[in-house]
Structure formats: C-alpha cells, structure tokens
Amino acid sequence: MSNLLAVPFKKAYQVDVAGAARTYLSDNGDTHPDAVKADIKQWQEMRQKIVNLEVHANRLADLMSYHAQLTSVLTKFPVDMQLEISYAPVFSPSVVPVTMRSLMFERAAVVFNLGSLYSQLAASVDRSNVDGIKRAAAFFQNASGVFSYLQTSILPHFSIPPDQEHPPLDLSHSFVHALEFLNLAQAQECFWQKAKLDNLKNGLVSKLAGATMYLYKRSLTLILEAEPPIKHIYPSDWLSHIEVKQHHFEAVAQFRRSREELEKSRYGFEIAYLTQAQLAAKKGYDVARKGRVLPAILNDIQSFLEIIKKELFRAERDNDLIYHQDVPTGSTLPAIQQATVAQAVTPKELSDPTVLVPLNQMVFSSLMGWGTREAINIYNDRKKNLIQEELVGPAQESKIAAERLLQSLNLPASLEALERPVGLPPSFLKKAEEVRLENGPAKIEAAIEDLYKLSRQNYKLLNEAMDILDQEASEDESTRENLPIPLTRPPSHEANVHLVDKERRYRTILDQAATGDETIRTKWDQWEKNITELTWDEADLEASIPSSTLSTSSYPSSSSSFSTDKHARTLRSLLESLSELYTDRDNLIRRASALAEADDIQPRIVKAAAGFERLGLETAESTGTPYSELAQKHTTHPAMFEDISNSELAKYDKFMQWMRDLEGKQEEILGSIKTENELFLQSRKSSESVKAREQALQSLDLSYYKYKEIMQNLEEGVNFYNDLSAILLQFKDACRQWCNERKHEIHILSRSMQSLSMGEENEQSNDAIEPSRARPLGRPTPTPTVQGAQPQVQMTPNRNTKKFITDLNSSDWETPNFGGFPGRKV
C-alpha cells in the first residue's frame, strides 16, 4: 500500500459525438457531413478510448492524442455545438454527473484525467529501489505540470454559464492549484527519499525535507482557503493525510538539522532542534490518530515520534552529564533552509500538440476554421439586420405614420366624395377586391382557431412537464417510506425548485398571451360586420354608400367653387407625390436587397485568415512558442475580421442616407398636406349628403386597415406560440432528464444496499456453517471505494500486520530501520 495520494479519474460518460457533429455541419456548415465522415468516425473512436480508463502507461498516449485532436476540433467547431458532455465529480463517481454543452469542458476534463493518470502511475510504482523512486518522481512532476497547464492555459478560457445548476467545482482554479502543489510535494518527497537512500549529508537532507514540508503546507493552505463548496470536495482523510505529511516533514527537517549540529559538537543546538522536531511530530501524530489516515501513515509518524523521544532523552542526558552547553529557545533558532528539487514538468505533447500530431493530420483539417466561418455568418447576419432595421423597418414605420395621418384627415375619402359623387373610388375598389379574394372573414376565423389551438398545445406541454415532476415526487416520497435508512438528498419539492420557478414564469407568459388573444378576438367582434361588407359584390357595396350631387346652390359663389377645386387638385397632387415616394422607397429596398444577395465576403475573409495563419507560423518560428497555441489566437476569433466586416458594410451607407432623405421629404409632403387640407375644408361648404358619403367611405376604408391590423396581430401570435412551443419542449425534456437522474441515484443506492445486505447474509451463513472458525486477525475488510482512487481496506492490526504495512513502499521516515533493506529490525 502506497503512502502517497493518487488523484482519481473524473468518470466519463458516453456521448454521441458523431451525431452532434453531423447535425452541426448540416445546420451550420458549408460542408456536407459525408465529406468529413472519416474525421467524424476518428473523433468518435478516440473519444471512446478515454471513457473507461485504467492505470496503465499506454493510456497516456490515448489521452494526449485525443487532447491534440481536440485543439483542432475547437478551431473548426464552436465551444457549444449542442453536444451534451457528462463527467462525474472527481471523488463521487456514482452521483449524478455534471453535464455541459461545452467542448472546453471536455478538454478540461481530459487534461484533468491526464494529470490523474500520471498521479496514479506514480503512486503505483514500487519505491523500494532507486529506479522506482526516479520513475515515481518523474510521474509526480508530470502530474503537477499537467495540473499547472490546466490551471493557466485552459481554465481561463473555460466559462461556466450563470444558469449552470451543477457547476464542475473540481475544475475550479483553487481546486486544481491545490492538486498541482500536492503532486509537486509528493515528487519532492521522492527526491528526499532518494537522498536518504544515497546517504547524502544531513544538512542537504534537512533542506530537502524542509522544501517537502513547505509544498505540503502550500497545498493544504490552498484547500483550506478555498470557498466551502470547493473545500468540501476533498475527502476528510485527504486533508488529514496532507496535514500529517506537513508536520512529519517539518519534524524530519528539524531532526536532520539536529544530526548536523551533533556532528559539529553543538549539543545545545542539537537538543533545541530535537525539541522542535518532537513538537512537530506530536502534532502530526495527533492529526493522524484522529483523522482516519492510512495505517502506514499513522505507523510511520508514531514510530518516528518514538525515535525522536529516544534521541532527545539521550541528548539531554549527555548534555547534563558531560557537555553542559546552553540550549537556545526555539524562537532563536535559525530557520531551516529549503532545497526544492521537484519541478512541475508539463509534457511537451500537451503544450504543443503538433509535436504529437502534425497539423495536416489533425481531424477536420480540410474544414474552414470555425472563427473564419463564424465571421462570414456574422457578416451575413449584420447585412441582413442592416437592411431590415435601417431600410425595411423605417420604411414600414414611415408609411404607417403617413397612413394614420391621412386617416385622421379623412383623406383621400373627402376628395373622392367630392370628385365622385356617385359610385366607388378606384382605390377603394382595389382594397375591397383584396379582402374579397382572400376571403377575409373566413381567413380571420381560421387564424383565430389556430391561435387558440396553439395556445392549448402550449398549456398541454407545460402541464405534461409538471406531471413528470409530480410523478417523480410521488416516487421519491414512496421510496423514502420504504427505505430502511433516511435519504440524505433533498426531497423533490426542494430539489426541483429551479424547474418549478421556470414553470411559473412560462405559465405567466402564457396567461399574458391568452389575454392578448382575447383582445384580438374582441377587436374582430367589433369590426366583423364592417370587414364582411368589404367582401360584397361591387353593386352591393356601391348601393351601401350614399351618393351626393353638388348643385350650384351648394356654393355661395363661383369663386368659392373655384377655390375648392384648386385646393382639391393640390391635395390630389400631394397624395400622388406621397404615393411616388412609397414607390421610391420600395425600389430602394429592392436595390439594397439585390446587392446583399450578390454580396459574398467569403473570399476576402478566407484570404485574411490565411494571412493570420502565416503570421502565427512566423511568430512561432521566431519566438519558439508552440504554433498550435498561436494558431488558435490568430485564426479562431471572429473579432479578428471586424475591420473587414465594417469596411464591406460601408457599401450600404448610401442606401441608409437615401432612406433618411426620403423620410425628410415625406415630412415635407405631410406638412403640406395638413396645411392644404385645412384650406380645402375652409373653402368648401358640404351638404349633409356629402358628409354622409365621406363618413361611409371613411368607415369602409378604416375597416380595411383594421382587417390588415387583425391579420398582422394573428400572424405575430402564431409565430409567438410556435417559438414558445420549442422552448417548452426543451423544458419538458429537461424535466424528464432531471427525473431520470433522480431515479438513477435511487437505483444506484438500492443496488448498493442490496449488495451490503447480501454480504451480511453470506457472512451470517458462513458463521452458521462453520461456527468454530473465527475471522483471522489482519484479514482485510472491504470498504466501498471511489472509482479511480486507490482501493482501501480496513485491517485489524496485530504485530504481523503492522510489520507488513511498514514494509510496503515505506519512505525512510527517519527511522534507523529503512523498510525493505538489509538490517531492518522488527
């Protein structure tokens, strides 16, 4: 049994890499998935190799090769490519895994497991000889280097969404930093062990032990200073183990320094250092005795404490009887110097993947870089939004504002009533024909029915999601009643609060939308009769509009009639100018849309991307920096193409300026219309029949605009419910997944309890068959282990067992009898 700690793996779960890659390329890429099916297959196969890891040196190549290919994948795909990746927490492989849609989460977890593998390889090495010690030290230094690389080069680029319910706390900076120093401390311990085996001078051995003590202390400090959720990830026996090591090596450093003082005949200082060694060893022994550390650790610190006591008793007796030297106090003793030999060694294949896999052999090397493709997509989106927001949107708003003003002025109904005392104006006939051909009333009724149907479907999805949660809550309550021991996890009504809160928000949105639906229905009820009239035949419509004939008696004088006709002609001319302005705006939008359709920025972006790649290669060659890191900085960020995008979008500035000019011209025309309409109203003297005709025409004209308004409201409502339906489907799936995870927890717990129950029954059965046979002393009693961690057994200690534990890979521990070597005394 090793007396050093090994970091367990983060348990990986199967994911459908191939399916996610094919879906993403089909939906977003410009390359068909079949064109890179070999790369997709290779990615899936490499990922499969790192799911079930075992402690073997050959698996190092699997992890590093997969990491190298991931660096290429991250340049071709976005971090979130809708691939859900799951890893269990490091010390809890049986709990519900952490799931994230992030390739950076995958990369961080892979590198974490690489550091864990180095750590486990180191702990499994037989350190009873020099070669074994060297291999263990090298593995621990590699583990420290991997965790250092994870902390400095990967985690800064790994962002956790704020709404992530279960963040991967074992991939936090403080957690990984503590592991870096822990493995470095254990590497330093190996160097100290080799120095002891090589019989180096006491002063040097003391400095090596002092550095080991400092590294263990640094690791423990990082753990204790971390936030509570992170600090509590570590098993309590790990914290005790590290603290015992810290005190033990402090005692070793003081003990070796006392030996050096003894060699110089400075007996007072020898006693002082031995006293400090005893205090440190006593602290370590107290922690070990209470902290459930490995038996080897407790035995070593206890044995060493006894040795120190004997040496201190001898030194004090000799000084009292023979030397009579003054003994300085501990506070006046010079601090023990430190000699740190262990260094964090990052494998070159990790920091520069091209050493392991050349660029032309990376997966998806034929694909356009994700940053390049994303820059093209961003440009196309900005171009589309520019036309919609700066041209189409303002044109529609300006036209609506103008039509509202004309309606308030009763235009052109007042002119048409004057110009055509009988019959229907052509503009009105055109509007009525549009409603009649569309079968407007039936179309509105069908759309309203669709709206209500979609609303009911959305409510149904939400209710089904809550039914899933209710069923899980019932099963959870039933399980709690039937289990013989209480569950430690929170009950359903506490655990599903985040889902219930979302349901309340969605239901509020649906209720508000339902209120809006009723508003549309009320509006339709109010205008149904008027809109239905628009579908009548032309003769029926004409008969429904009162006619007016202007006689000479309608005007007080010929000059008044002349003035009215003049203002009417001016108004008609202004309305025609306004109509021409509408046409100019439509032509402007068509020209801009045609330009956007033909506008292709890809050649310029690709050319610039190639330039960035050349720059990265030249920088890598001149500075010695790994090319793969610089390549990612120079080619994968869409912001690198911002200047190109802005310069290409500038070609649309002229259209926006022309649109603003047309808006200003419209304001001038509308101002003139208002002024001329006031003069027109003052100049004419309408009869009651003319007023009645104007009001009838205005009413039907307003009915047409209400028809268009209701249809627009209904279209917006249908689009809203369709979009919300997709969100509610995702919410329902999230509820189902959450419930499945809870059921999985119960299943694992039930299996564990069943196994324990069967073990107890078998033991009772054996005792019943062979009552005379007692369990031998020292037989290991199995205890549940964490996957990837060193298996632990509880031993019933006796003298032979204690001897066996000390023999296994024991460090010197400053006892005169080094385990596993000639001359050892029991």
Side-chain angles (χ1 to χ4, degrees), residues 549-565:
T549 55
L550 298 179
S551 61
T552 56
S553 62
S554 300
Y555 295 93
S557 66
S558 59
S559 62
S560 175
S561 176
F562 176 77
S563 176
T564 300
D565 291 341

Side-chain angles (χ1 to χ4, degrees), residues 191-206 208 256 259 263 341 814:
F191 285 115
W192 168 85
Q193 183 178 349
K194 183 178 181 299
K196 176 62 179 66
L197 186 62
D198 293 340
N199 291 318
L200 298 183
K201 293 182 178 180
N202 288 311
L204 178 57
V205 176
S206 175
L208 291 172
R256 281 290 182 164
R259 290 286 184 88
E263 293 169 356
V341 180
E814 292 303 330

Side-chain angles (χ1 to χ4, degrees), residues 257-289:
R257 184 61 185 271
S258 73
R259 290 286 184 88
E260 186 180 26
E261 298 297 336
L262 176 62
E263 293 169 356
K264 296 178 182 180
S265 300
R266 300 175 60 180
Y267 306 111
F269 280 91
E270 176 198 8
I271 295 172
Y273 281 114
L274 281 173
T275 302
Q276 297 302 310
Q278 183 179 8
L279 293 175
K282 183 64 169 58
K283 290 180 182 178
Y285 174 69
D286 291 340
V287 174
R289 185 166 48 85

Side-chain angles (χ1 to χ4, degrees), residues 38-293:
D39 300 79
I40 295 175
K41 180 180 179 182
Q42 182 180 354
W43 185 8
Q44 182 74 66
E45 291 174 348
M46 295 186 70
R47 215 279 174 176
Q48 179 65 31
K49 291 182 180 180
I50 61 98
V51 172
N52 297 311
L53 291 171
E54 66 270 3
V55 184
H56 197 285
N58 291 344
R59 304 313 300 272
L60 293 172
D62 292 338
L63 285 167
M64 284 193 284
S65 296
Y66 182 54
H67 171 263
Q69 297 289 9
L70 272 180
T71 61
S72 174
V73 170
L74 280 165
T75 65
K76 308 299 182 180
F77 293 87
V79 171
D80 181 5
M81 55 173 288
Q82 303 300 305
L83 174 62
E84 292 193 343
I85 300 170
S86 299
Y87 281 88
V90 61
F91 290 108
S92 305
S94 299
V95 304
V96 177
V98 175
T99 301
M100 294 184 65
R101 293 191 305 191
S102 170
L103 289 178
M104 283 303 298
F105 176 48
E106 171 83 342
R107 185 185 180 194
V110 168
V111 174
F112 185 97
N113 280 346
L114 178 62
S116 300
L117 180 55
Y118 273 119
S119 176
Q120 294 182 53
L121 289 171
S124 64
V125 170
D126 180 8
R127 291 180 289 111
S128 62
N129 55 74
V130 174
D131 290 339
I133 295 174
K134 289 181 179 179
R135 288 198 305 274
F139 281 140
F140 276 128
Q141 288 183 109
N142 284 141
S144 179
V146 169
F147 286 120
S148 175
Y149 180 80
L150 173 60
Q151 184 211 355
T152 58
S153 300
I154 296 180
L155 293 186
H157 307 289
F158 173 43
S159 59
I160 301 175
D163 59 347
Q164 179 71 26
E165 297 174 3
H166 302 289
L169 299 177
D170 50 10
L171 292 178
S172 59
H173 287 270
S174 56
F175 187 89
V176 175
H177 202 191
L179 291 183
E180 173 192 348
F181 273 94
L182 172 61
N183 284 278
L184 194 61
Q186 297 186 140
Q188 178 75 15
E189 179 176 342
C190 292
F191 285 115
W192 168 85
Q193 183 178 349
K194 183 178 181 299
K196 176 62 179 66
L197 186 62
D198 293 340
N199 291 318
L200 298 183
K201 293 182 178 180
N202 288 311
L204 178 57
V205 176
S206 175
K207 293 177 182 178
L208 291 172
T212 307
M213 177 273 298
Y214 168 77
L215 293 174
Y216 275 118
K217 181 180 180 181
R218 178 65 174 149
S219 176
L220 183 63
T221 301
L222 287 170
I223 295 174
L224 297 179
E225 291 180 351
E227 297 180 357
I230 298 174
K231 178 171 60 178
H232 293 156
I233 298 176
Y234 287 92
S236 59
D237 56 335
W238 272 49
L239 301 182
S240 300
H241 177 105
I242 298 173
E243 187 175 1
V244 171
K245 288 280 189 176
Q246 172 194 334
H247 295 310
H248 200 142
F249 274 99
E250 180 183 1
V252 170
Q254 302 285 357
F255 181 82
R256 281 290 182 164
R257 184 61 185 271
S258 73
R259 290 286 184 88
E260 186 180 26
E261 298 297 336
L262 176 62
E263 293 169 356
K264 296 178 182 180
S265 300
R266 300 175 60 180
Y267 306 111
F269 280 91
E270 176 198 8
I271 295 172
Y273 281 114
L274 281 173
T275 302
Q276 297 302 310
Q278 183 179 8
L279 293 175
K282 183 64 169 58
K283 290 180 182 178
Y285 174 69
D286 291 340
V287 174
R289 185 166 48 85
K290 301 175 183 178
R292 294 189 305 126
V293 298

